[in-house]
Amino acid sequence: MNVLFVAAEATPYVKTGGLADVAGALPAALRSLGHDVRVTLPRYREVRERGVAVEGPLAATFLPLGERAEELRVWRAKDDDVPTYLLDVPSAFERGVIYGEADDHRRFILFARAVLATMQHLREVEGWQPDVVHCHDWHAALVINYLKTYYAYTFGHIATVFTIHNLAYQGQVHPDVLGVAGLSEAGLVENGLGAGIAHSFNFMARGILYADVVSTVSPTYAREIMTPDYGERLDGLLRRRQDRVAGILNGIDAERYNPATDAQIAATYDVGHMDGKAVCKAALQERTGLPVEASRPLLGVVSRLVEQKGFDLLHVIMPWLLQETDAQLVLLGSGQPYLQDAFERLAHQHPQRVAVTTGFDTAFAQQIYAGSDAFLMPSRFEPCGLGQLIALRYGSVPIVRATGGLADTVREGWDGNGFRFHPYEAGHFIDAIRRALVSYRDVEGWKLLRERGMKEDHSWTTSAKHYAGLYQWARGQ
């Protein structure tokens, strides 16, 4: 099949979160199965300033936006196994940030229009047309809206898939945006979606409403978002479309995240030769200023410091962890200032037990996966989660809240690969950590638990096969 990916970010070009990992890795996995997958992506200032090699412009035109028209130039990235088109709209993307601008709605309306202009160029000049357009999150949702309305005559036969990576971010704005987007004739479809959504313009809702198939990034999250607790006021719409909703787990790049070949870690190792794991632990303790003690359990965290990720709960249990256990904690991340400040204070007060590094450092993140004994992810909700999959790959036993993709990938019990709790309460989180620390003292049992996780296959190849089936479903085959 010919498949066109539409995403606001993708590795290796630009990344703010897990969406970039998916949009960067899944196309390559699908191409390895024989599908002709191509990617469209905004050409942000960051991409331009990094000097990403491009060819073109392949096409240039103007995009309507209300009463204005903005310039578009289409470039193609060089030296990429996956054809990637960088859509250069200076008024929208020549900015110092990726998201968070007051006019984000205008920026991503322009992105959607740029994708459609690129599709027209590919069909008319290069003779290539997608069988499936696969759009990711609210930034890309209007592509599907346009395909099913104003471009129905030209591209209406093309199947559409809309993937929700995080339902909490919807692109909900003032209803006047309907006119700016040129969708006035189609009406304010949000008015039939209930309190909180009616009388607004909602990018995410339009992707869900118009797509042939809606997917999420784990089976459990697909079920959760149809409930009021997780549905972010779109659960009614999702229940209406539940016969067209599926959940497919994300994968990880098994070559990039491979402790047997990772050049970023202190020593390489694999499931049959684990000596390097101990070297990595000692190196991590030394780097962070913690006492280098092989027998002491070392807990790792790599995440955004936000309440969604459960850091308010982790902060609540820290007195217990410090007083009742001998565990060390290494944390890498940044986010909400009050949480960041709270954990930095803990590190200052307990330098022998807690080490905190703010910001994000890819190499250091992989050193934490390799050096830690266990990995904490107490998320309030987690559509899929990649941290637990990487941790399993590196032999760091995950301790998670059983929600979304964490519930789908982490098991506890006789055939388990980690530890889990469900009620979002300090006592249940403490009990899960306590069970893990008791297990850690059983050297042979911990070894078997760790090896079981390392042997699991969470590569993109498995996920790509499921997505290929999803595309056939969207095409009605």
Side-chain angles (χ1 to χ4, degrees):
M1 289 173 282
N2 292 347
V3 182
L4 184 69
F5 267 57
V6 184
E9 56 182 273
T11 56
Y13 302 101
V14 61
K15 175 180 175 176
T16 67
L19 167 60
D21 292 310
V22 177
L26 180 54
L30 286 162
R31 286 183 73 86
S32 72
L33 298 178
H35 304 292
D36 186 349
V37 183
R38 307 186 184 193
V39 177
T40 53
L41 185 72
R43 191 187 188 206
Y44 300 101
R45 175 193 292 176
E46 176 182 326
V47 176
R48 180 182 61 77
E49 290 181 342
R50 279 180 41 230
V52 172
V54 295
E55 58 184 29
L58 309 180
T61 188
F62 287 90
L63 307 171
L65 184 71
E67 297 179 354
R68 294 176 54 83
E70 302 293 351
E71 180 185 8
L72 162 69
R73 289 174 294 174
V74 180
W75 306 84
R76 178 166 167 166
K78 288 184 177 179
D79 306 322
D80 195 332
D81 294 334
V82 178
T84 301
Y85 302 95
L86 300 172
L87 310 187
D88 187 4
V89 185
S91 67
F93 302 117
E94 191 64 25
R95 312 283 183 94
V97 297
I98 306 305
Y99 310 125
E101 298 281 67
D103 63 341
D104 272 359
H105 59 286
R106 299 174 68 90
R107 299 171 69 215
F108 290 103
I109 290 170
L110 284 166
F111 177 51
R113 289 195 176 278
V115 170
L116 290 158
T118 303
M119 288 175 61
Q120 289 176 312
H121 165 80
L122 292 174
R123 186 184 68 168
E124 295 167 5
V125 178
E126 300 188 20
W128 187 88
Q129 182 168 275
D131 301 303
V132 179
V133 172
H134 187 171
C135 295
H136 295 263
D137 264 353
W138 74 262
H139 329 93
L142 288 195
V143 172
I144 297 174
N145 192 164
Y146 286 130
L147 286 173
K148 298 301 184 181
T149 53
Y150 289 111
Y151 286 83
Y153 180 79
T154 307
F155 294 127
H157 61 288
I158 297 174
T160 56
V161 173
F162 182 61
T163 295
I164 301 168
H165 293 263
N166 192 333
L167 192 63
Y169 301 98
Q170 299 178 4
Q172 185 172 358
V173 290
H174 194 276
D176 287 352
V177 171
L178 189 70
V180 177
L183 290 165
S184 299
E185 293 179 19
L188 202 62
V189 296
E190 291 82 355
N191 284 349
L193 301 183
I197 302 299
H199 310 297
S200 69
F201 185 95
N202 189 300
F203 285 68
M204 178 74 80
R206 287 172 176 264
I208 295 168
L209 183 65
Y210 285 105
D212 293 312
V213 169
V214 177
S215 74
T216 69
V217 291
S218 72
T220 295
Y221 191 58
R223 295 189 294 271
E224 287 176 341
I225 60 177
M226 294 188 197
T227 69
D229 287 345
Y230 293 90
E232 302 288 349
R233 299 165 301 166
L234 290 177
D235 51 294
L237 172 60
L238 286 158
R239 286 194 297 273
R240 277 168 45 190
R241 302 224 63 207
Q242 61 184 316
D243 62 335
R244 307 296 291 180
V245 176
I248 298 175
L249 276 170
N250 285 340
I252 59 172
D253 185 334
E255 293 302 316
R256 176 184 175 190
Y257 298 112
N258 185 354
T261 58
D262 191 342
Q264 307 290 349
I265 62 180
T268 55
Y269 58 94
D270 60 37
V271 71
H273 307 85
M274 292 296 292
D275 289 347
K277 177 79 174 171
V279 175
C280 290
K281 178 176 179 177
L284 180 60
Q285 289 171 320
E286 184 174 359
R287 171 171 176 169
T288 55
L290 298 174
V292 180
E293 299 179 25
S295 63
R296 188 186 288 259
L298 178 55
L299 309 180
V301 179
V302 178
S303 180
R304 288 182 293 117
L305 299 184
V306 295
E307 289 184 359
Q308 180 216 322
K309 298 295 185 179
F311 284 98
D312 54 337
L313 191 62
L314 178 58
H315 190 258
V316 166
I317 73 155
M318 284 303 298
W320 168 83
L321 189 74
L322 292 166
Q323 295 166 18
E324 303 296 330
T325 81
D326 64 343
Q328 299 170 331
L329 177 71
V330 175
L331 184 153
L332 170 64
S334 59
Q336 291 173 283
Y338 88 93
L339 288 171
Q340 191 168 307
D341 292 345
F343 281 97
E344 287 180 327
R345 282 196 301 272
L346 281 170
H348 179 72
Q349 294 164 0
H350 304 277
Q352 302 293 296
R353 301 288 301 281
V354 181
V356 173
T357 301
T358 57
F360 188 75
D361 179 328
T362 300
F364 186 39
Q366 289 174 220
Q367 291 161 20
I368 293 175
Y369 289 118
S372 59
D373 295 303
F375 193 81
L376 303 181
M377 292 185 71
S379 304
R380 284 180 180 270
F381 67 94
E382 192 67 62
C384 179
L386 297 178
Q388 83 279 17
L389 302 181
I390 302 170
L392 288 167
R393 178 82 164 145
Y394 281 79
S396 182
V397 176
I399 303 171
V400 307
R401 180 165 179 260
T403 183
L406 300 176
D408 291 320
T409 54
V410 178
R411 309 176 308 280
E412 183 170 355
W414 67 272
D415 67 340
N417 58 7
F419 299 86
R420 43 192 269 172
F421 66 101
H422 188 264
Y424 192 78
E425 298 171 2
H428 291 277
F429 188 19
I430 286 171
D431 285 344
I433 296 175
R434 184 183 287 117
R435 293 194 301 274
L437 296 180
V438 169
S439 179
Y440 177 76
R441 300 303 178 190
D442 175 4
V443 175
E444 287 303 312
W446 188 263
K447 177 183 176 182
L448 291 173
L449 176 64
R450 184 178 61 193
E451 291 177 354
R452 189 180 296 128
M454 292 182 71
K455 290 177 180 178
E456 294 180 356
D457 180 7
H458 293 289
S459 68
W460 272 110
T461 302
T462 301
S463 300
K465 291 176 181 177
H466 289 301
Y467 274 104
L470 196 74
Y471 298 153
Q472 295 287 18
W473 181 28
R475 297 176 69 195
Q477 297 180 359

